[in-house]
Amino acid sequence: MKSAVKYQTPKGLTAETVKAISRRKNEPKWMLDFRLKSYTQFLAKKLPIWAQSKLIDEINFDQITYYLSTSDKPQNSWDDVPDDIKQTFDKIGIPQAERQFLAGVSAQFESEVVYHHIKKELDDQGVIFCDMDTGLREYPEIVKKYFASVVPANDNKFSALNSAVWSGGSFIYVPKNTKVRLPLQAYFRINAESFGQFERTLIIADEGSDVHYIEGCTAPVYSTYSLHAAVVELIALPGSHIRYTTVQNWSKNIYNLVTKRAFVYENAFVEWVDGNLGSRLTMKYPSVYLLGNGAKGDILSIAYAGKDQYQDAGAKAIHLANNTSSTIISKSISKDGGRTSFRGTVNVGRGYSGVKNRVRCDALLLDDRSRSDTYPTIKVAEPTAFVEHEASVSKIGDAQLFYLTSRGLSESAAASLIVNGFISQFTKELPFEYAIELNRLIDLEMEGSVG
């Protein structure tokens, strides 16, 4: 069902499009100037040819709608959300999840957040959780200090695009020594055809604080392609902890090109838990920049590529302080001619002692038509650093299938069981409800995979 449009820009990207978005949001001049400079940088940047994928050349930037709104402002009650939009989120189960185990929820439909709510106890603790537009309007000093400080607009072509036309996303600030007991969640839905969604997320965990943020993304299937190019910036100040969990199940007409990066200061800890299903092309490499002594970063990801899909995912760990540690674990599954790539970077600067890093990437191929590649880059300038890398590629064996089918399972159910076991290291890190949902999605993808 298509929702009534309140406002949208014409197809294609021009300076006037950028100005129209900023004008619609009634933004301060510094943000408009930032957007226009980013637009110029976007035009100057080339597409990333190192990905070795012709898919990215299929993006027609002139046919994309860069801003589309179906509401005038976020609502804090589901009863006030337009019925057709609420029905979409009901089907996904967001209101139910909020009641059961979430501390706050933000739901974005196309370019704007349509629903937002945070529990009063977090409000009383001084936790800020709102959409990025509200953050810019109500907390301008914090936003101006940290916005684009982790991912500058000129970092890459798609971060420049996001910086020019960003809309929605999440802004979170957790005060000193505050523990957010339940997860905060944002949900992003693309419902329009030939559309671009460019949310911007900024999370700041002050000293000694702790927060878990979950994001989920979906879109219906259309015959034309849409673009999702988000930017996520995390700032973990000394002694804090941020866990950022993503479960994306985009339809196969979405180009998912996202930049995610964290600055981690003294004795702070950042975890990326990243699940990638769906999309035509995903390019995403969550990063940790370990900037303070004792900082730690863990990145755990899975990627599933089926027919006509390419999941180019990975991670980066940059060590720029003493006694820092990082772990990168990647699992990928390729089926029906799908292709997965692990692209990882580990960089240890000279003079930083006590650095430890471990990288492990495992690929599972379900047939002879599928493909998996590994592109590790390791640069170590400090001789005392301890760095290890291991990788494996495997197939489902006949002996495994025989063992399980001899105990009454169909071949398809046996293959699903093996795949779910392969990614169990990832699913056990998810909240229970998400782990069940992910296993169900894998089972659906695996139907008819054998025989």
Side-chain angles (χ1 to χ4, degrees):
M1 179 185 296
K2 292 190 177 182
S3 302
V5 175
K6 296 280 187 180
Y7 176 82
Q8 73 179 88
T9 56
K11 288 186 182 299
L13 183 58
T14 64
E16 183 50 41
T17 307
V18 175
K19 292 177 184 175
I21 293 171
S22 185
R23 196 162 49 240
R24 167 82 175 168
K25 295 172 179 292
N26 195 25
E27 290 178 339
K29 185 176 183 304
W30 73 265
M31 182 56 77
L32 172 60
D33 293 342
F34 171 80
R35 287 181 181 275
L36 290 171
K37 184 178 179 182
S38 303
Y39 169 67
T40 303
Q41 292 167 334
F42 166 72
L43 295 178
K45 291 272 184 185
K46 304 292 185 186
L47 288 168
I49 57 173
W50 44 263
Q52 302 176 9
S53 173
K54 294 181 181 177
L55 292 178
I56 204 164
D57 294 328
E58 296 176 358
I59 301 173
N60 187 342
F61 293 98
D62 294 332
Q63 290 302 312
I64 291 174
T65 299
Y66 288 84
Y67 180 90
L68 191 158
S69 174
T70 56
S71 67
D72 291 323
K73 64 177 183 178
Q75 304 295 336
N76 59 17
S77 167
W78 284 109
D79 293 337
D80 296 327
V81 174
D83 285 343
D84 54 334
I85 297 176
K86 181 175 179 296
Q87 286 169 14
T88 299
F89 286 109
D90 276 339
K91 289 176 184 174
I92 301 168
I94 299 303
Q96 183 183 3
E98 179 186 5
R99 285 192 296 271
Q100 291 179 344
F101 65 94
L102 296 172
V105 167
S106 180
Q108 180 162 337
F109 199 83
E110 318 299 14
S111 296
E112 296 289 357
V113 171
V114 295
Y115 172 81
H116 179 81
H117 182 73
I118 182 171
K119 286 185 181 295
K120 186 176 181 303
E121 62 196 65
L122 291 185
D123 227 0
D124 294 342
Q125 287 179 289
V127 175
I128 299 170
F129 174 42
C130 58
D131 63 275
M132 196 67 231
D133 297 282
T134 300
L136 175 62
R137 192 165 54 249
E138 297 186 4
Y139 308 97
E141 298 84 6
I142 305 177
V143 171
K144 192 170 184 180
K145 179 178 179 180
Y146 291 108
F147 192 91
S149 66
V150 180
V151 180
N154 64 357
D155 187 80
N156 61 74
K157 189 172 183 70
F158 294 99
S159 65
L161 176 60
N162 174 284
S163 299
V165 297
W166 72 268
S167 184
S170 296
F171 173 64
I172 297 173
Y173 170 76
V174 185
K176 285 184 181 179
N177 302 317
T178 301
K179 313 292 184 186
V180 180
R181 188 173 53 85
L182 296 173
L184 304 172
Q185 172 163 327
Y187 203 86
F188 300 94
R189 172 78 176 183
I190 294 177
N191 231 44
E193 197 170 356
S194 300
F195 173 71
Q197 190 175 65
F198 307 97
E199 81 269 15
R200 187 98 188 187
T201 293
L202 173 61
I203 300 177
I204 304 145
D206 212 329
E207 296 179 20
S209 64
D210 193 312
V211 65
H212 182 190
Y213 177 83
I214 303 173
E215 69 172 2
C217 314
T218 63
V221 176
Y222 287 115
S223 58
T224 59
Y225 295 113
S226 289
L227 174 61
H228 175 249
V231 167
V232 177
E233 300 177 282
L234 308 186
I235 296 161
L237 294 174
S240 65
H241 173 219
I242 301 175
R243 169 176 277 210
Y244 194 108
T245 299
T246 302
V247 178
Q248 293 187 333
N249 183 32
W250 292 115
S251 57
K252 295 178 183 176
N253 59 311
I254 300 290
Y255 286 85
N256 183 37
L257 310 165
V258 175
T259 306
K260 292 184 168 181
R261 188 172 300 161
F263 280 180
V264 192
Y265 293 92
E266 187 175 356
N267 294 321
F269 180 27
V270 166
E271 298 175 273
W272 295 102
V273 181
D274 202 50
N276 300 294
L277 287 85
S279 82
R280 179 162 175 77
L281 169 67
T282 285
M283 295 174 66
K284 185 165 53 162
Y285 321 97
S287 307
V288 287
Y289 282 61
L290 305 170
L291 304 175
N293 293 342
K296 181 180 178 184
D298 286 353
I299 304 162
L300 173 62
S301 66
I302 65 160
Y304 184 103
K307 183 180 179 182
D308 297 327
Q309 289 182 282
Y310 183 11
Q311 300 278 0
D312 191 316
K316 299 177 184 177
I318 313 299
H319 293 255
L320 296 172
N322 296 324
N323 301 315
T324 53
S325 62
S326 62
T327 302
I328 297 172
I329 297 175
S330 170
K331 303 272 186 179
S332 68
I333 303 147
S334 305
K335 171 178 170 283
D336 293 336
R339 180 181 176 185
T340 59
S341 292
F342 169 78
R343 206 176 295 275
T345 296
V346 176
N347 196 329
V348 181
R350 181 179 295 277
Y352 300 119
S353 62
V355 169
K356 295 180 181 177
N357 165 264
R358 176 174 177 254
V359 178
R360 179 176 180 86
C361 49
D362 299 318
L364 182 63
L365 297 173
L366 300 188
D367 52 57
D368 294 334
R369 292 170 293 154
S370 301
R371 173 176 169 178
S372 179
D373 307 275
T374 301
Y375 304 99
T377 300
I378 301 174
K379 297 179 180 177
V380 181
E382 170 54 45
T384 64
F386 181 82
V387 177
E388 61 178 311
H389 176 96
E390 53 186 322
S392 71
V393 179
S394 59
K395 291 184 176 180
I396 292 180
D398 291 339
Q400 290 173 298
L401 287 174
F402 176 77
Y403 177 83
L404 292 171
T405 54
S406 67
R407 278 152 178 78
L409 293 179
S410 67
E411 286 194 342
S412 179
S416 290
L417 190 62
I418 293 168
V419 170
N420 281 319
F422 178 73
I423 63 169
S424 62
Q425 193 172 3
F426 178 85
T427 51
K428 74 180 183 182
E429 297 296 332
L430 298 176
F432 182 67
E433 293 78 2
Y434 286 80
I436 292 174
E437 181 65 13
L438 185 68
N439 285 335
R440 190 183 69 81
L441 290 170
I442 293 291
D443 289 343
L444 288 172
E445 294 285 351
M446 292 297 297
E447 284 181 359
S449 63
V450 178

